[in-house]
Amino acid sequence: MKKLLLKSTLLLLGSWCVVAHLLAQTDIKYQTPPQPIADLANAPSTPAVSIDSKGEWMVFLLQQELPSIAELAQPELRLAGLRINPNTNGPSRVGYTVGIKLRKLMGKEEIEIKGMPANPLISNVSWSPDEKKIAFTHTTDKHIELWVIDVATATAKRVGDFALNAVLGNPFEWISDSNRLLCTIVPPNRGNAPTPDHVPQGPVVQENVGKRAPARTYQDLLKSPSDEKIFEYYATSQAIITDLNGKWTPIGEAGMIADASASPDGRFVMMQIVHRPFSYLVPVNNFPYLVAIYDAATGKQLKILTDRPLAENLPTGFDAVPAGPRRHSWRADAPATVIWVEAQDEGDPKKEVPIRDRVFSLPAPFEGQPKEILATKFRFTNITWGNEKIAFARERWWATRKELVHLIHPEGQTPPVVLFDRSYEDTYTDPGTPRTKRNAFGRNVLDIQKDNTLFFFGAGASPEGDRPFVDWWNLTTKKATRLWRSEAPYYERPVDIINNEKQLLITIRESVTENPNYFLRDLKKKQITQLTFFPNPYAGLKGVTKQLIKYKRADGVDMSADLYLPAGYKKEDGPLPSFVWAYPREYKSAAAAGQVSGSPYRFTRLSWGSPIFWVTRGYAVFDNAAMPIVGEGDKQPNDSFVQQLELNARALIEEGTRLGVMDKNRVAVGGHSYGAFMTANLLAHTDYFRAGIARSGAYNRTLTPFGFQSEERTFWEAPEVYNQMSPFMYADKIKEPLLLIHGEADNNSGTFPIQSERFYNALKGHGATVRFVLLPHESHGYRAKESVMHMLWEMDQWLEKYVKNATSN
């Protein structure tokens, strides 16, 4: 009897375990979404285009379609914040170009390039300084090769028989004579890779002795001495200078070369070389490194400029930088002059000092005292060099969103002059960026005309949407003259001017019904000529309408969204099930938050993660819906994050209902990354949505305690903010169905897959309707065709079941 009772109990327990397993997990194969969505997702890619500065040649770069999950499942090392393919000694998860074609700018015939590698996987496409050649890398299943195209003969050939090392960055650059290239290669005869040590020799110990070391939640960090050895093996390269026949000269010794760059005149090489001790807390960018100068002819080291220690102890704040020299580079307008920046506040933005940064220069032979060329009130951003006499220098400060752009005289003849003093959040006042040209060294510098003028290209943000422009800027009077501006019903943006005197402008033009193509505009004659005729890849969107809607939230902040309606829809058809897709953004002023982004005249283009697919399924889609989070003056945006999300959502629901296109009882909300975080918060704190879709998000901010997104404060400085903003803390309040999707190999800071795993468990524990989909081998963005198709299927199933066919309240 006891045995029978025990057997019955075991059977009951076994049955319960099976039921529990079925409730917890559903094992299915990859699925495909409905045909209209699948057809759009499979639409062919439009080639990318590169045009030489003289306007003679167009280069068409044929883009790779979505790779298979088998390709994504290739071996991958996740070390020091990097994703490495050990078979190729380069990065994994690369989006490749799979073909290159040439065409004369005003020609019609596309020229096939002879001698190309079979089944090319192309990256790092680069014009030579004289623009007569094009270099690129080709990745095989065993290594990365260097190839060069001769444009005049349309012929390609491999350079040398060495293998490039692309683990730490771009593995080559042209030298100014256009006949040599500086490369980082896999050291010849380096031996076999270290074998992972599966039997530890002892514990892994980390220690901190009284030093502050706040660090964000980085992914893929080193974890053991075995990891260190493997990382060092793959990161070590040899710098060389090679001619086009593959004859090469070594530069210095083999090392972990993070960056190698030749001086504009080609006589010297500057290298940034990573070295030990490594860190288990921060990625490779924060590892110790030295910066040294080498003679390009002999390969011998001439001078060590700096040796920066491990940067584990940076101050908190977005304007925090390492103490000591940083950001070494060559002056583009001088033969061989090094510049760098040094913080005057020890890199700590919380310290009050009159000068934040100083910029120094040191010309060859790199002896004597460096010369100060600029002192900045805020944090130095960059310099656009000119003609050795003038340059543009930019500085910014995160806390106030302030930006200053100076006209400087690097040789010190005249004090800097402030050209622009503005908030960089204020897109309506953005003056644009100055046009650059190639100088004698093949470097891009300001294209300053004899009359002291130059062209500016701008995005042209305005209350009507973006209207790109070209201005003619007078450096003497500091005034701009508008030469051209994009006009309705087109969205047209400038690419380059190929003849300053004739004012011949290349643009990309599109409209709601016309896909983007390249055009040549004669600004003086006001004539336009179409250069490319790429077909519309999205026949399935024919008849879909798009409009920019504007509205206000309750506190007066201006809002906007892109509204897509199904083909043939008429207002008398009544309200539709609706899908809202958004991403919150922080601002320091309500005026900046209310500015319109995008253009109502842009052609609808679909990425793998777009919500627009569902307009083909009968939904009204509200894409790019404004979700501003404002913190003016001393207030921080996140202090009222949840309250402002509610205001944003209410305003959108009211506007969609007022327009008569939204069925307010059948509305879904979704987002990716920080948009997923937003989605979960909206379900936790409002009742506006029938269901939600959250992809690759973070839901518990205590797991990112040293800051996240645009939040500078740590958890211990603002615990109430971290808790209030964490939907995980309100899992018991979420009653609407929520679909969670996450990449198993997410490498984005803060969005560890455990964020979705733990959030799912919390929701399930409180009886919520929730589904968790973990996509194998996928990172923060999804790439494999099988993954993307399955994601679209999951989203469609969720929307159909819980939104379109939901029972109305």
Side-chain angles (χ1 to χ4, degrees):
M1 186 71 175
K2 288 182 178 180
K3 289 183 179 179
L4 183 60
L5 182 60
L6 177 62
K7 185 176 181 181
S8 300
T9 303
L10 290 174
L11 286 173
L12 181 62
L13 287 172
S15 300
W16 181 87
C17 289
V18 170
V19 172
H21 176 76
L22 291 174
L23 286 172
Q25 180 175 322
T26 304
D27 295 317
I28 61 174
K29 304 297 184 182
Y30 286 112
Q31 300 294 310
T32 301
Q35 201 62 45
I37 293 178
D39 288 344
L40 289 171
N42 283 320
S45 300
T46 300
V49 177
S50 178
I51 301 173
D52 70 320
S53 64
K54 303 181 188 71
E56 295 179 5
W57 290 97
M58 301 185 81
V59 180
F60 296 93
L61 307 175
L62 311 181
Q63 303 302 295
Q64 182 185 39
E65 303 301 330
L66 291 172
S68 70
I69 193 66
E71 292 179 60
L72 219 62
Q74 294 298 307
E76 180 179 69
L77 301 174
R78 303 172 187 176
L79 301 168
L82 303 174
R83 298 282 173 93
I84 302 168
N85 184 331
N87 293 339
T88 65
N89 226 100
S92 59
R93 304 171 184 273
V94 178
Y96 292 107
T97 292
V98 293
I100 301 179
K101 294 183 179 181
L102 295 170
R103 202 198 81 184
K104 286 286 189 180
L105 183 73
M106 301 306 294
K108 294 183 179 180
E109 180 185 358
E110 291 185 359
I111 302 170
E112 296 285 344
I113 298 171
K114 301 180 290 291
M116 290 288 288
N119 304 313
L121 295 176
I122 296 167
S123 301
N124 305 302
V125 178
S126 174
W127 287 94
S128 62
D130 63 7
E131 297 183 302
K132 294 181 179 180
K133 306 175 190 72
I134 299 170
F136 64 89
T137 61
H138 164 53
T139 301
T140 73
D141 58 355
K142 295 181 179 179
H143 57 250
I144 302 173
E145 303 171 348
L146 177 64
W147 286 69
V148 170
I149 298 169
D150 180 83
V151 175
T153 62
T155 303
K157 71 171 185 177
R158 183 181 175 187
V159 177
D161 59 0
F162 47 78
L164 295 171
N165 187 332
V167 166
L168 295 181
N170 191 333
F172 77 86
E173 71 166 33
W174 283 99
I175 291 178
S176 57
D177 60 13
S178 296
N179 292 313
R180 296 177 297 155
L181 298 105
L182 172 62
C183 306
T184 52
I185 67 171
V186 174
N189 306 315
R190 71 173 173 177
N192 296 325
T195 303
D197 189 354
H198 298 297
V199 180
Q201 302 301 309
V204 175
V205 177
Q206 301 182 63
E207 183 177 11
N208 185 65
V209 183
K211 291 185 177 181
R212 291 170 61 92
R216 287 205 163 197
T217 49
Y218 298 108
Q219 316 275 52
D220 302 335
L221 299 178
L222 299 177
K223 296 181 177 66
S224 68
S226 178
D227 280 356
E228 294 186 44
K229 293 176 184 178
I230 295 170
F231 166 72
E232 188 167 25
Y233 175 84
Y234 285 104
T236 297
S237 60
Q238 173 66 58
I240 67 167
I241 290 179
T242 181
D243 64 19
L244 298 180
N245 294 316
K247 182 180 179 180
W248 56 269
T249 301
I251 306 297
E253 303 294 328
M256 291 177 283
I257 302 170
D259 183 66
S261 61
S263 60
D265 64 6
R267 292 188 298 144
F268 305 98
V269 172
M270 180 164 53
M271 291 198 291
Q272 179 180 311
I273 305 170
V274 174
H275 61 78
R276 291 176 178 267
F278 299 147
S279 171
Y280 294 5
L281 185 65
V282 292
V284 63
N285 292 343
N286 293 63
F287 287 5
Y289 66 81
L290 63 83
V291 179
I293 303 288
Y294 296 80
D295 185 288
T298 65
K300 293 183 178 179
Q301 187 181 99
L302 300 177
K303 186 179 182 67
I304 295 178
L305 296 174
T306 190
D307 191 348
R308 196 193 79 173
L310 176 65
E312 274 190 347
N313 303 311
L314 289 181
T316 58
F318 291 125
D319 284 313
V321 296
R326 70 182 197 276
R327 298 187 58 177
H328 292 75
S329 63
W330 297 105
R331 271 187 64 169
D333 61 343
T337 297
V338 178
I339 68 158
W340 66 88
V341 190
E342 293 188 27
Q344 305 301 296
D345 55 7
E346 298 181 332
D348 188 350
K350 293 183 175 64
K351 290 189 176 182
E352 295 295 333
V353 294
I355 300 296
R356 291 286 176 184
D357 280 332
R358 296 188 190 275
V359 182
F360 297 95
S361 70
L362 184 65
F366 317 109
E367 302 296 339
Q369 291 298 312
K371 178 182 178 180
E372 181 182 317
I373 60 174
L374 179 67
T376 64
K377 178 181 178 182
F378 305 136
R379 195 64 77 203
F380 170 79
T381 304
N382 58 45
I383 291 180
T384 305
W385 299 99
N387 54 10
E388 296 191 26
K389 295 181 181 179
I390 66 171
F392 283 9
R394 187 186 306 268
E395 57 180 284
R396 283 186 169 187
W397 196 245
W398 165 261
T400 59
R401 312 303 200 265
K402 287 284 288 185
E403 175 182 75
L404 296 176
V405 178
H406 303 274
L407 177 65
I408 68 170
H409 300 79
E411 301 308 320
Q413 306 97 326
T414 309
V417 176
V418 175
L419 292 179
F420 309 113
D421 181 349
R422 53 185 294 274
S423 166
Y424 61 79
E425 283 187 335
D426 184 2
T427 58
Y428 290 177
T429 63
D430 188 345
T433 57
R435 181 185 183 269
T436 60
K437 67 174 182 179
R438 289 176 181 257
N439 63 7
F441 302 121
R443 306 297 175 99
N444 288 325
V445 296
L446 294 171
D447 185 17
I448 303 170
Q449 307 301 298
K450 293 179 181 179
D451 58 357
N452 209 31
T453 60
L454 71 165
F455 297 103
F456 267 66
F457 294 170
S462 75
E464 294 78 39
D466 291 350
R467 297 181 62 186
F469 63 83
V470 175
D471 280 354
W472 198 355
W473 233 85
N474 190 309
L475 293 175
T476 303
T477 64
K478 311 296 187 299
K479 292 183 179 180
T481 302
R482 179 82 17 114
L483 293 179
W484 172 84
R485 188 185 190 192
S486 178
E487 299 291 344
Y490 296 103
Y491 172 82
E492 189 171 2
R493 64 178 178 85
V495 175
D496 200 7
I497 290 178
I498 60 173
N499 187 306
N500 288 354
E501 185 178 347
K502 293 183 179 180
Q503 294 184 3
L504 300 181
L505 173 68
I506 295 177
T507 68
I508 300 177
R509 190 175 81 168
E510 61 191 271
S511 72
V512 174
T513 58
E514 298 174 30
N515 56 292
N517 271 290
Y518 285 77
F519 289 77
L520 179 65
R521 277 191 170 275
D522 186 322
L523 298 183
K524 286 189 173 181
K525 295 181 180 180
K526 301 188 184 306
Q527 296 175 345
I528 185 168
T529 304
Q530 188 166 346
L531 299 175
T532 63
F533 298 85
F534 300 130
N536 181 352
Y538 303 126
L541 292 180
K542 184 177 181 180
V544 169
T545 61
K546 171 189 175 182
Q547 66 182 101
L548 175 68
I549 62 171
K550 301 178 187 179
Y551 48 100
K552 290 181 182 289
R553 73 183 193 187
D555 60 358
V557 174
D558 290 319
M559 312 274 285
S560 64
D562 295 322
L563 170 60
Y564 295 85
L565 294 171
Y569 173 80
K570 301 181 294 295
K571 191 171 182 179
E572 50 266 33
D573 294 336
L576 299 172
S578 300
F579 190 16
V580 175
W581 195 261
Y583 190 95
R585 300 188 186 279
E586 299 83 354
Y587 299 90
K588 286 301 292 179
S589 75
Q595 292 186 348
V596 174
S597 63
S599 168
Y601 306 116
R602 298 208 69 170
F603 181 74
T604 298
R605 280 174 282 193
L606 301 178
S607 69
W608 61 268
S610 174
I612 302 170
F613 291 104
W614 281 274
V615 76
T616 66
R617 299 281 283 161
Y619 292 80
V621 177
F622 294 78
D623 191 20
N624 194 31
M627 288 285 167
I629 309 296
V630 184
E632 295 190 297
D634 294 333
K635 296 180 181 179
Q636 294 300 316
N638 286 341
D639 291 344
S640 55
F641 179 86
V642 170
Q643 294 88 337
Q644 292 194 62
L645 273 189
E646 190 277 334
L647 287 174
N648 296 332
R650 189 200 322 163
L652 178 59
I653 297 292
E654 289 174 351
E655 179 63 13
T657 304
R658 186 191 69 81
L659 292 172
V661 299
M662 176 187 283
D663 180 347
K664 66 179 182 180
N665 293 315
R666 293 188 298 162
V667 184
V669 62
H672 190 91
S673 192
Y674 209 53
F677 173 70
M678 169 208 73
T679 296
N681 265 302
L682 284 170
L683 296 192
H685 298 287
T686 77
D687 293 316
Y688 296 129
F689 300 100
R690 173 69 66 175
I693 298 175
R695 295 194 318 230
S696 298
Y699 310 103
N700 184 348
R701 298 279 49 140
T702 67
L703 296 179
T704 56
F706 286 104
F708 58 90
Q709 199 71 6
S710 294
E711 179 55 64
E712 290 186 291
R713 296 167 295 183
T714 70
F715 168 76
W716 297 273
E717 292 172 319
E720 68 287 347
V721 171
Y722 276 68
N723 281 295
Q724 178 71 15
M725 290 181 67
S726 296
F728 180 86
M729 308 302 179
Y730 299 89
D732 61 326
K733 306 298 182 185
I734 296 179
K735 306 304 180 185
E736 298 82 9
L738 177 60
L739 173 62
L740 297 170
I741 304 176
H742 216 117
E744 168 268 330
D746 194 331
N747 65 338
N748 183 56
S749 176
T751 55
F752 292 90
I754 197 173
Q755 289 272 5
S756 287
E757 293 168 10
R758 294 291 170 83
F759 193 38
Y760 170 75
N761 289 337
L763 292 168
K764 183 180 69 169
H766 287 94
T769 299
V770 59
R771 182 178 175 91
F772 176 33
V773 180
L774 190 65
L775 298 172
H777 303 295
E778 292 294 350
S779 185
H780 193 59
Y782 316 148
R783 294 196 63 240
K785 185 173 184 177
E786 292 88 340
S787 301
V788 171
M789 289 297 184
H790 186 85
M791 175 205 74
L792 295 172
W793 178 81
E794 291 278 2
M795 292 175 65
D796 187 73
Q797 294 286 307
W798 202 255
L799 291 170
E800 291 292 293
K801 182 175 182 179
Y802 292 113
V803 181
K804 180 187 287 185
N805 298 310
T807 303
S808 298
N809 290 340

